[in-house]
């Protein structure tokens, strides 16, 4: 099995943390292809930063799912808040798993109420919205966070280890958490280091993402070709990168999505032309 693991921020130090924990978590025989966003911010803390990151993640997914690319069995979006999700599920034929949804699922299986430990106060409203999006707001005990300035995103674990431990214990003692989630790629691996020091199960988002991606890929349930996560309908488009255009066109073709009618001039996109339908049995799109 081969997993594409994407760090949606631009920090190589965070990518190293992600890769280290992913390697410890992956099953024997699982190959990891770990990539870093080509543009964006050092670490994602707001909705707008997540919006920027989503485009960077889409480009990497497209690069590895376009026709002729070395295939992967699943994709892991390795930032809490799951930038671009669930929309990215529309782009790939393979499962695309965010570490937030993976961590929440893992927590829900191990306890009734869970708390999230985050690296900043600014990030808390967005995280709360993510929990609500997954329909688990009623099971959220609390979101506790570091309220001091970060000196370096790569050293958060070392700089705030005791703070993070104290926040986790407070979530259990004061908020009634049955499970603690250590949120975000900068905290990857910390759950292992704190084994036995927090009196409830502790979930690491990266570890959960890797294991969930392996499990879902192994189910071989098949791709979304209809329903809410079917590929976007074919239509004229402009300015997409060649990789993104090719991946999107292939996804639409495999799903049987009709292309723009021959009477319209196809748009040239970075050397790729939007396909035109030559199958008269396909319904005429409404544009």
């Amino acid at each position: 099995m081969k997993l594409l693991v994407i760090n949606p921020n631009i920090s190589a130090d965070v990518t190293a943390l992600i890769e280290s924990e992913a390697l410890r978590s992956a099953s024997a025989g699982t190959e990891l292809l770990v990539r870093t966003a080509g543009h964006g911010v050092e670490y994602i803390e707001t909705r707008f930063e997540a919006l920027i990151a989503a485009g960077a993640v889409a480009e990497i997914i497209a690069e590895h799912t376009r026709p002729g690319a070395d295939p992967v069995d699943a994709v892991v979006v390795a930032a809490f808040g799951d930038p671009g999700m669930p929309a990215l599920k529309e782009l790939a034929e393979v499962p695309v798993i965010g570490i937030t949804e993976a961590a929440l699922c893992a927590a829900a299986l191990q306890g009734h109420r869970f708390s999230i430990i985050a690296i900043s106060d600014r990030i808390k409203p967005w995280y709360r919205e993510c929990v609500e999006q997954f329909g688990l707001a009623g099971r959220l005990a609390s979101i506790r966070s570091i309220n001091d300035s970060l000196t370096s995103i790569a050293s958060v674990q070392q700089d705030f280890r005791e703070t993070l431990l104290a926040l986790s214990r407070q979530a259990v003692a004061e908020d009634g958490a049955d499970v603690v989630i250590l949120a975000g790629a900068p905290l990857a691996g910390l759950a292992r280091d704190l084994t036995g020091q927090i009196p409830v199960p502790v979930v690491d988002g990266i570890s959960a993402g890797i294991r969930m991606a392996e499990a879902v890929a192994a189910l071989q349930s098949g791709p979304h070709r209809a329903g809410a996560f079917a590929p976007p309908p074919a239509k004229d488009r402009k300015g997409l990168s060649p990789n993104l255009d090719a991946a999107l066109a292939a996804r639409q073709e495999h799903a049987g999505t009709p292309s723009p009618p021959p009477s319209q001039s196809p748009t040239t996109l970075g050397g790729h032309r939007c396909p035109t339908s030559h199958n008269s049995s396909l319904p005429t799109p409404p544009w």
Side-chain angles (χ1 to χ4, degrees), residues 69-80:
D70 188 17
V72 297
D73 297 292
V75 178
V76 178
V77 180
F80 216 80

Side-chain angles (χ1 to χ4, degrees), residues 32 41 43 46-47 53 92 94 117 123 165 167 177 180 212 230-231 243 247 273-275 279 282:
L32 301 177
V41 297
Y43 61 98
T46 70
R47 303 172 189 85
V94 299
I117 309 302
I123 216 166
L165 179 57
L167 291 171
V180 167
M212 291 286 185
N243 280 336
R273 292 167 65 84
C274 292
N279 186 344
L282 295 175

Side-chain angles (χ1 to χ4, degrees), residues 224-247:
H224 293 283
R225 294 185 177 172
F229 295 105
K235 59 192 69 171
D236 286 345
R237 49 188 184 256
K238 178 180 179 181
L240 276 65
S241 69
N243 280 336
L244 189 55
D245 186 63

Side-chain angles (χ1 to χ4, degrees), residues 78-149:
F80 216 80
D82 297 350
M85 298 285 280
L88 293 170
K89 295 179 186 288
E90 300 176 8
L91 177 60
E93 293 269 303
V94 299
V96 181
I97 306 296
I99 66 169
T100 307
E101 61 181 353
L104 293 177
C105 288
L109 289 171
Q110 297 182 77
H112 181 61
R113 288 165 60 78
F114 55 85
S115 287
I116 296 171
I117 309 302
I119 63 173
S120 78
D121 285 337
R122 181 68 174 85
I123 216 166
K124 290 165 67 175
W126 173 39
Y127 280 4
R128 191 174 299 276
E129 290 176 6
C130 291
V131 176
E132 292 171 353
Q133 176 183 326
F134 287 111
L136 293 171
R139 298 177 70 173
L140 177 65
S142 62
I143 302 178
R144 288 181 174 263
S145 63
I146 299 169
N147 57 18
D148 296 320
S149 298

Side-chain angles (χ1 to χ4, degrees), residues 99-274:
I99 66 169
T100 307
E101 61 181 353
L104 293 177
C105 288
L109 289 171
Q110 297 182 77
H112 181 61
R113 288 165 60 78
F114 55 85
S115 287
I116 296 171
I117 309 302
I119 63 173
S120 78
D121 285 337
R122 181 68 174 85
I123 216 166
K124 290 165 67 175
W126 173 39
Y127 280 4
R128 191 174 299 276
E129 290 176 6
C130 291
V131 176
E132 292 171 353
Q133 176 183 326
F134 287 111
L136 293 171
R139 298 177 70 173
L140 177 65
S142 62
I143 302 178
R144 288 181 174 263
S145 63
I146 299 169
N147 57 18
D148 296 320
S149 298
L150 307 182
T151 56
S152 169
I153 193 61
S155 63
V156 172
Q157 294 187 38
Q158 292 75 28
D159 296 342
F160 294 98
R161 178 189 176 91
E162 294 305 315
T163 300
L164 293 163
L165 179 57
L167 291 171
S168 299
R169 288 171 171 168
Q170 288 167 6
V172 177
E174 301 175 21
D175 306 330
D178 303 313
V179 183
V180 167
I181 299 172
L182 297 179
L187 302 185
L190 182 59
R192 293 179 188 270
D193 292 340
L194 297 181
T195 298
Q197 300 182 56
I198 300 169
V200 298
V202 182
V203 174
D204 181 298
I206 299 300
S207 179
I210 295 297
R211 299 296 283 185
M212 291 286 185
E214 289 179 331
V216 173
L219 289 173
Q220 298 184 340
S221 303
H224 293 283
R225 294 185 177 172
F229 295 105
K235 59 192 69 171
D236 286 345
R237 49 188 184 256
K238 178 180 179 181
L240 276 65
S241 69
N243 280 336
L244 189 55
D245 186 63
L248 183 56
R251 178 87 166 93
Q252 291 167 335
E253 180 181 357
H254 292 164
T257 305
S259 301
S263 59
Q264 293 187 355
S265 299
T267 303
T268 301
L269 302 170
H272 293 270
R273 292 167 65 84
C274 292

